Coordinates of all heavy atoms in Angstrom, one line a residue:
T1 N -7.9 -26.2 -19.5 CA -8.4 -27.0 -20.6 C -7.3 -28.0 -21.0 O -6.1 -27.9 -20.6 CB -8.8 -26.2 -21.8 OG1 -7.6 -25.5 -22.3 CG2 -9.8 -25.1 -21.4
D2 N -7.6 -28.9 -21.9 CA -6.6 -29.9 -22.4 C -5.5 -29.1 -23.2 O -4.4 -29.7 -23.3 CB -7.3 -30.8 -23.4 CG -8.2 -31.8 -22.7 OD1 -8.1 -31.9 -21.4 OD2 -9.1 -32.5 -23.3
M3 N -5.8 -28.0 -23.7 CA -4.7 -27.2 -24.4 C -3.5 -26.9 -23.6 O -2.4 -26.8 -24.1 CB -5.3 -25.9 -25.0 CG -4.4 -25.2 -25.9 SD -5.1 -23.7 -26.7 CE -6.3 -24.5 -27.8
N4 N -3.7 -26.9 -22.2 CA -2.6 -26.6 -21.3 C -2.1 -27.8 -20.6 O -1.3 -27.7 -19.6 CB -3.0 -25.5 -20.3 CG -3.3 -24.2 -21.0 OD1 -2.6 -23.7 -21.8 ND2 -4.5 -23.6 -20.7
S5 N -2.6 -29.0 -21.0 CA -2.3 -30.2 -20.3 C -0.8 -30.6 -20.5 O -0.3 -31.5 -19.7 CB -3.2 -31.4 -20.8 OG -3.0 -31.6 -22.2
H6 N -0.1 -30.0 -21.4 CA 1.3 -30.4 -21.6 C 2.2 -29.8 -20.6 O 3.4 -30.2 -20.4 CB 1.8 -29.9 -23.0 CG 1.8 -28.4 -23.2 ND1 0.6 -27.7 -23.4 CD2 2.8 -27.5 -23.1 CE1 0.9 -26.4 -23.5 NE2 2.2 -26.3 -23.3
L7 N 1.7 -28.8 -19.8 CA 2.5 -28.2 -18.8 C 2.6 -29.1 -17.6 O 1.7 -29.7 -17.1 CB 1.8 -26.8 -18.4 CG 1.7 -25.8 -19.4 CD1 0.8 -24.6 -18.9 CD2 3.0 -25.3 -19.8
S8 N 3.8 -29.1 -17.0 CA 4.0 -29.9 -15.8 C 3.4 -29.1 -14.6 O 3.1 -27.9 -14.7 CB 5.6 -30.0 -15.6 OG 6.2 -28.8 -15.3
N9 N 3.3 -29.8 -13.5 CA 2.8 -29.2 -12.3 C 3.6 -28.0 -11.9 O 3.1 -26.9 -11.4 CB 2.7 -30.2 -11.1 CG 1.6 -31.2 -11.4 OD1 0.7 -31.0 -12.1 ND2 1.8 -32.4 -10.8
E10 N 5.0 -28.1 -12.0 CA 5.9 -27.1 -11.7 C 5.7 -25.8 -12.6 O 5.7 -24.7 -12.1 CB 7.3 -27.5 -11.8 CG 7.7 -28.5 -10.7 CD 7.2 -30.0 -11.0 OE1 6.7 -30.2 -12.2 OE2 7.2 -30.8 -10.1
E11 N 5.5 -26.1 -13.9 CA 5.2 -25.0 -14.8 C 3.9 -24.3 -14.5 O 3.8 -23.1 -14.5 CB 5.2 -25.5 -16.2 CG 6.6 -25.9 -16.7 CD 6.6 -26.7 -18.1 OE1 5.6 -27.4 -18.3 OE2 7.5 -26.5 -18.8
Q12 N 2.9 -25.1 -14.2 CA 1.6 -24.5 -13.9 C 1.7 -23.6 -12.6 O 1.1 -22.5 -12.5 CB 0.5 -25.5 -13.7 CG 0.1 -26.2 -15.0 CD -1.3 -26.9 -14.9 OE1 -2.1 -26.4 -14.1 NE2 -1.5 -27.9 -15.6
D13 N 2.4 -24.2 -11.6 CA 2.6 -23.4 -10.3 C 3.3 -22.1 -10.6 O 3.0 -21.1 -10.0 CB 3.3 -24.3 -9.3 CG 2.5 -25.4 -8.8 OD1 1.2 -25.4 -8.9 OD2 3.1 -26.4 -8.2
S14 N 4.3 -22.1 -11.4 CA 5.0 -20.9 -11.7 C 4.2 -19.9 -12.4 O 4.2 -18.7 -12.1 CB 6.2 -21.3 -12.7 OG 6.9 -20.1 -13.0
I15 N 3.3 -20.3 -13.3 CA 2.4 -19.4 -14.0 C 1.4 -18.8 -13.0 O 1.1 -17.6 -13.0 CB 1.6 -20.1 -15.1 CG1 2.6 -20.4 -16.2 CG2 0.5 -19.3 -15.6 CD1 2.0 -21.3 -17.3
I16 N 0.8 -19.7 -12.1 CA -0.1 -19.3 -11.1 C 0.5 -18.2 -10.2 O -0.2 -17.2 -9.8 CB -0.7 -20.4 -10.3 CG1 -1.6 -21.3 -11.2 CG2 -1.4 -20.0 -9.1 CD1 -2.0 -22.6 -10.6
D17 N 1.7 -18.4 -9.9 CA 2.4 -17.4 -9.0 C 2.5 -16.0 -9.7 O 2.6 -15.0 -9.0 CB 3.9 -17.8 -8.7 CG 3.9 -19.0 -7.7 OD1 2.9 -19.2 -7.0 OD2 4.9 -19.7 -7.6
S18 N 2.4 -16.0 -11.0 CA 2.5 -14.7 -11.7 C 1.1 -14.1 -12.1 O 1.0 -13.0 -12.6 CB 3.3 -14.8 -13.0 OG 2.6 -15.7 -13.9
I19 N 0.1 -14.8 -11.7 CA -1.3 -14.3 -12.0 C -1.8 -13.7 -10.7 O -1.9 -14.3 -9.7 CB -2.2 -15.5 -12.4 CG1 -1.7 -16.1 -13.7 CG2 -3.7 -15.0 -12.6 CD1 -2.5 -17.4 -14.1
P20 N -2.2 -12.4 -10.7 CA -2.7 -11.7 -9.5 C -3.9 -12.4 -8.9 O -4.0 -12.4 -7.6 CB -3.1 -10.3 -10.0 CG -2.2 -10.1 -11.2 CD -2.0 -11.4 -11.8
A21 N -4.7 -13.1 -9.7 CA -5.9 -13.8 -9.1 C -5.4 -15.1 -8.4 O -6.2 -15.7 -7.7 CB -6.9 -14.1 -10.2
M22 N -4.2 -15.5 -8.6 CA -3.5 -16.6 -8.0 C -4.3 -18.0 -8.3 O -4.3 -18.9 -7.5 CB -3.5 -16.4 -6.4 CG -2.6 -15.3 -6.0 SD -0.9 -15.5 -6.6 CE -0.4 -17.0 -5.6
R23 N -4.8 -18.1 -9.5 CA -5.4 -19.3 -9.9 C -5.6 -19.3 -11.4 O -5.5 -18.3 -12.1 CB -6.7 -19.5 -9.3 CG -7.8 -18.5 -9.6 CD -9.1 -18.8 -9.0 NE -10.2 -17.9 -9.3 CZ -10.9 -18.0 -10.4 NH1 -10.8 -19.0 -11.2 NH2 -11.9 -17.0 -10.6
I24 N -5.8 -20.5 -12.0 CA -6.2 -20.6 -13.4 C -7.7 -20.5 -13.6 O -8.5 -20.8 -12.7 CB -5.7 -22.0 -13.9 CG1 -4.2 -22.1 -13.9 CG2 -6.3 -22.3 -15.3 CD1 -3.7 -23.5 -14.2
G25 N -8.1 -19.9 -14.7 CA -9.5 -19.7 -14.9 C -10.2 -21.0 -15.3 O -9.5 -22.0 -15.7
T26 N -11.5 -21.1 -15.3 CA -12.2 -22.3 -15.6 C -13.0 -22.0 -16.9 O -13.4 -20.9 -17.2 CB -13.2 -22.7 -14.5 OG1 -14.3 -21.7 -14.5 CG2 -12.5 -22.7 -13.2
P27 N -13.3 -23.1 -17.7 CA -14.1 -23.0 -18.9 C -15.5 -22.4 -18.6 O -16.1 -21.7 -19.4 CB -14.2 -24.4 -19.4 CG -13.0 -25.1 -18.9 CD -12.7 -24.5 -17.5
D28 N -16.1 -22.8 -17.4 CA -17.4 -22.2 -17.1 C -17.4 -20.7 -16.9 O -18.4 -20.0 -17.2 CB -17.9 -22.9 -15.8 CG -18.3 -24.3 -16.0 OD1 -18.4 -24.8 -17.1 OD2 -18.6 -25.0 -15.0
E29 N -16.3 -20.2 -16.4 CA -16.2 -18.7 -16.3 C -16.1 -18.1 -17.6 O -16.7 -17.0 -17.9 CB -14.9 -18.4 -15.5 CG -15.0 -18.7 -14.0 CD -13.8 -18.4 -13.2 OE1 -12.7 -18.9 -13.7 OE2 -13.8 -17.8 -12.1
V30 N -15.4 -18.7 -18.6 CA -15.3 -18.2 -19.9 C -16.7 -18.2 -20.5 O -17.2 -17.3 -21.2 CB -14.3 -18.9 -20.8 CG1 -14.3 -18.4 -22.2 CG2 -12.9 -18.8 -20.2
A31 N -17.4 -19.3 -20.3 CA -18.8 -19.5 -20.9 C -19.7 -18.5 -20.4 O -20.5 -17.9 -21.2 CB -19.3 -20.9 -20.5
E32 N -19.6 -18.1 -19.1 CA -20.5 -17.1 -18.6 C -20.2 -15.7 -19.2 O -21.1 -15.0 -19.5 CB -20.3 -17.0 -17.0 CG -21.4 -16.2 -16.3 CD -22.8 -16.7 -16.5 OE1 -23.0 -18.0 -16.4 OE2 -23.7 -15.9 -16.8
A33 N -18.9 -15.5 -19.4 CA -18.5 -14.2 -20.0 C -19.0 -14.1 -21.5 O -19.5 -13.1 -21.9 CB -17.0 -14.0 -20.0
V34 N -18.9 -15.3 -22.2 CA -19.4 -15.3 -23.6 C -20.9 -15.1 -23.6 O -21.5 -14.3 -24.4 CB -19.1 -16.7 -24.2 CG1 -19.8 -16.8 -25.6 CG2 -17.6 -16.8 -24.4
Y35 N -21.7 -15.7 -22.7 CA -23.1 -15.6 -22.7 C -23.5 -14.1 -22.4 O -24.3 -13.5 -23.0 CB -23.8 -16.5 -21.7 CG -25.3 -16.2 -21.6 CD1 -26.1 -16.6 -22.6 CD2 -25.8 -15.5 -20.5 CE1 -27.5 -16.4 -22.5 CE2 -27.1 -15.2 -20.5 CZ -28.0 -15.6 -21.5 OH -29.3 -15.3 -21.5
S36 N -22.7 -13.5 -21.4 CA -23.0 -12.1 -21.1 C -22.8 -11.2 -22.3 O -23.5 -10.3 -22.6 CB -22.1 -11.7 -19.9 OG -22.3 -10.3 -19.6
L37 N -21.7 -11.5 -23.1 CA -21.4 -10.7 -24.3 C -22.5 -10.8 -25.3 O -22.9 -9.8 -25.9 CB -20.1 -11.1 -24.9 CG -18.8 -10.4 -24.6 CD1 -17.7 -11.1 -25.3 CD2 -18.9 -8.9 -24.9
S38 N -23.1 -12.0 -25.4 CA -24.2 -12.2 -26.4 C -25.5 -11.5 -26.0 O -26.3 -11.3 -26.9 CB -24.5 -13.7 -26.5 OG -25.2 -14.2 -25.4
T39 N -25.6 -11.0 -24.8 CA -26.8 -10.3 -24.4 C -26.6 -8.8 -24.3 O -27.6 -8.1 -24.0 CB -27.3 -10.8 -23.0 OG1 -26.3 -10.4 -22.0 CG2 -27.4 -12.3 -23.0
Q40 N -25.4 -8.3 -24.6 CA -25.2 -6.9 -24.5 C -25.7 -6.1 -25.7 O -26.0 -6.7 -26.7 CB -23.7 -6.6 -24.4 CG -23.0 -7.2 -23.1 CD -23.6 -6.6 -21.9 OE1 -23.7 -5.4 -21.7 NE2 -23.9 -7.5 -20.9

């Protein structure tokens, strides 16, 4: 999201290296999780 736009490419790559899933999440994935919570 734009909230993380201040990070440089190098900083983002460093963070991704520390995430086991090896990637950044997407807003659509969060949205799907929120919708699922609303139906529980």
